[in-house]
Amino acid sequence: MQSRSAVSGLPRWSTGPRVPEPVRSFWLKLAGSLVGQVPTPFFLFSIVPVAAASARLDQSLAGLRVRHWWSAKTQPLPPLWRWWRDRGRGIEVVSEFELRAALAEGYGSDRILVNGPAKHHWLGPFTQGGLTVNFDSVTEIRALAPLARARRWRVGLRLQLPEEHDPEDPACPTQFGLTHSEAALALRHLRQLGLEPEILHFHLRTQVPSAQVYARALKQAAELCKGLRWYPRVIDCGGGWPAEHVQDRHGRQMIKDFSPLAMSQVLRRAQTWFNGFEEYWLEVGRHICAPGGALVVGVRDSKERRGIRHLICDGGRTLHALVSLWENHGMLVWPNRKGQTVLTIVTGPTCMAFDQLARRHLPRSIRAGDCLLWLDAGAYHLSWETRFSHGLAAVYWHDGNEVHLLRPAESFEAWWGRWQNRGAARAE
């Protein structure tokens, strides 16, 4: 086996997250119904892990006044949206396409929460009454507040709290939300129109490492409300909860210092900090839907480079798994391979050295024709798919009983035929 010291310059991705036996058995059995029968690569999504994670979340927050919103951007999958809708819950959207999709999937306007920046450039033509809209800027408010009053929208303010920052540069604030002075202007403008914002919204970032981060943010929000003499009924804490079985690129569990129980305790304490508080809203996406997906890729070739093995697969980071740039996921081999292991870099099929799905010790017995299952692929993967030299992958859906093809692999005709007037630039 290649010694670790010989490759000490590589990120420490040599083991990967431990996959619990029930999770291993579930995915190998489910994928086994497709592997060898359908071409790779493909996404396989199941409602079973999502329903289980959702139930655990509800249990951990029992006794709190909480309303959950599905984060549309996290997993834009129609049967999943419908499953959530049928449980009487709402959906959070951040773009024109997402709002149109939510309406198409049967969400009433009273169950649609509109977030995101620069909404004044696309939200105006939607004439539905009863939407809930969190304003992100003073410019939005000046453009949209008259529509909000006329269409009876329920409105809130997204705040830029000191705890919110660029995760890659903690000294740099993000571009979202209203500062203290901007929030004061926003309140003045809305109240002049007879609108009182009911919702205080913030979203810190993704994969927040500790519930104490939320505690600090809630304290900051409460102090801001006190200074503004604003008494929101709803505290919308956004999302950002980490996935359970995912590591960062250094091998640390994302959820190591975070737990739903700790978050529940923070929320119980914080509700006393806000005069007029009625309920919390949460937009927890990744935490409950990441475990509901797997990316299945086929091994097509292998090469040795300076004691490191490269498995070249038909799917990978560039096409299907951008989050592998900063996340380390569990991986299974089909069929099960054992024996001596070697440091292996799992790559995709594109002409980019960037296209690395994983680096870890894997059995040397893996060979072309085998399949790899990259787990916890149920969040953001469809949102960030690319067509870099290839078409989109097939998508399969497991409804708890059967597996259905939701989307076939993109054909060449669809890949190239999507362009209009392809001959327009042809020389006369």
Side-chain angles (χ1 to χ4, degrees):
M1 182 176 71
Q2 174 70 26
S3 68
R4 296 177 189 233
S5 60
V7 290
S8 58
L10 293 175
R12 296 184 179 181
W13 292 4
S14 56
T15 57
R18 185 185 68 85
V19 180
E21 185 53 40
V23 175
R24 174 185 295 272
S25 298
F26 174 82
W27 284 109
L28 287 176
K29 181 178 179 181
L30 190 60
S33 65
L34 297 175
V35 170
Q37 308 299 315
V38 302
T40 52
F42 61 83
F43 286 107
L44 177 58
F45 300 112
S46 174
I47 193 57
V48 174
V50 177
S54 180
R56 289 193 298 270
L57 178 62
D58 287 341
Q59 184 177 15
S60 69
L61 300 176
L64 280 167
R65 289 169 287 176
V66 176
R67 183 175 180 181
H68 294 283
W69 299 84
W70 184 263
S71 171
K73 61 185 176 295
T74 307
Q75 182 66 315
L77 198 64
L80 193 52
W81 287 20
R82 292 192 289 268
W83 175 84
W84 187 261
R85 178 205 64 197
D86 291 345
R87 277 145 187 80
R89 291 180 165 176
I91 190 166
E92 180 247 0
V93 302
V94 296
S95 70
E96 175 191 350
F97 278 17
E98 288 180 359
L99 177 51
R100 291 171 63 178
L103 292 168
E105 293 303 326
Y107 282 89
S109 57
D110 61 331
R111 286 200 281 162
I112 299 176
L113 170 61
V114 185
N115 278 328
K119 293 184 287 294
H120 56 294
H121 282 283
W122 60 267
L123 185 57
F126 287 88
T127 59
Q128 285 80 7
L131 290 172
T132 300
V133 180
N134 285 327
F135 291 123
D136 184 74
S137 73
V138 174
T139 302
E140 277 190 359
I141 290 171
R142 288 173 176 155
L144 293 175
L147 298 180
R149 183 176 62 179
R151 297 170 186 174
R152 300 179 182 273
W153 291 350
R154 191 179 186 185
V155 300
L157 302 179
R158 175 167 180 175
L159 302 182
Q160 166 63 242
L161 300 177
E163 195 61 40
E164 181 179 343
H165 56 74
D166 179 348
E168 295 183 357
D169 185 359
C172 182
T174 73
Q175 68 269 38
F176 305 109
L178 298 151
T179 63
H180 184 284
S181 59
E182 290 169 340
L185 285 174
L187 284 169
R188 189 178 310 126
H189 190 83
L190 289 171
R191 286 168 175 167
Q192 286 172 350
L193 292 175
L195 293 171
E196 182 66 23
E198 303 176 53
I199 306 142
L200 183 160
H201 172 53
F202 64 86
H203 177 80
L204 300 179
R205 54 192 172 277
T206 190
Q207 303 278 29
V208 177
S210 169
Q212 292 310 307
V213 177
Y214 285 96
R216 293 194 297 269
L218 286 161
K219 179 65 73 173
Q220 293 163 2
E223 290 298 319
L224 188 146
C225 286
K226 183 178 179 181
L228 293 171
R229 297 184 180 179
W230 176 37
Y231 310 105
R233 297 167 53 197
V234 174
I235 309 301
D236 182 348
C237 300
W241 293 24
E244 185 176 1
H245 300 298
V246 173
Q247 296 177 349
D248 65 17
R249 60 182 296 135
H250 301 290
R252 298 182 294 251
Q253 290 296 121
M254 292 284 196
I255 207 166
K256 178 178 181 292
D257 297 317
F258 183 100
S259 74
L261 179 59
M263 191 67 194
S264 174
Q265 293 168 346
V266 165
L267 295 176
R268 289 179 199 281
R269 291 197 309 271
Q271 63 188 357
T272 64
W273 302 342
F274 296 90
N275 291 330
F277 171 85
E278 292 185 6
E279 65 179 349
Y280 287 112
W281 287 0
L282 296 176
E283 302 155 17
V284 180
R286 181 194 302 273
H287 183 77
I288 61 174
C289 68
L295 170 64
V296 183
V297 301
V299 179
R300 293 291 171 253
D301 201 353
S302 65
K303 297 179 179 179
E304 293 278 347
R305 296 288 186 272
R306 304 173 194 171
I308 301 171
R309 192 184 194 203
H310 292 258
L311 293 179
I312 302 170
C313 302
D314 52 16
R317 174 186 293 168
T318 302
L319 296 170
H320 313 108
L322 179 62
V323 298
S324 66
L325 179 61
W326 58 85
E327 292 182 3
N328 190 14
H329 291 209
M331 181 173 283
L332 305 176
V333 183
W334 180 276
N336 188 26
R337 299 294 187 188
K338 299 181 180 180
Q340 183 188 44
T341 63
V342 62
L343 184 64
T344 304
I345 301 179
V346 180
T347 74
T350 69
C351 59
M352 299 181 70
F354 165 87
D355 197 0
Q356 298 180 18
L357 190 60
R359 296 182 180 184
R360 65 190 58 180
H361 282 79
L362 290 174
R364 184 178 284 281
S365 55
I366 296 174
R367 55 180 180 265
D370 291 351
C371 288
L372 302 176
L373 281 66
W374 195 72
L375 304 182
D376 290 287
Y380 294 103
H381 298 76
L382 293 182
S383 307
W384 281 334
E385 282 181 284
T386 76
R387 290 180 167 98
F388 191 101
S389 300
H390 298 73
L392 300 178
V395 175
Y396 290 87
W397 171 252
H398 174 237
D399 62 10
N401 296 304
E402 298 179 345
V403 176
H404 309 272
L405 176 64
L406 281 187
R407 185 186 75 187
E410 190 173 25
S411 67
F412 167 77
E413 290 74 19
W415 181 78
W416 196 243
R418 71 185 187 274
W419 300 105
Q420 297 295 318
N421 301 316
R422 294 198 303 275
R426 189 178 302 148
E428 294 296 333

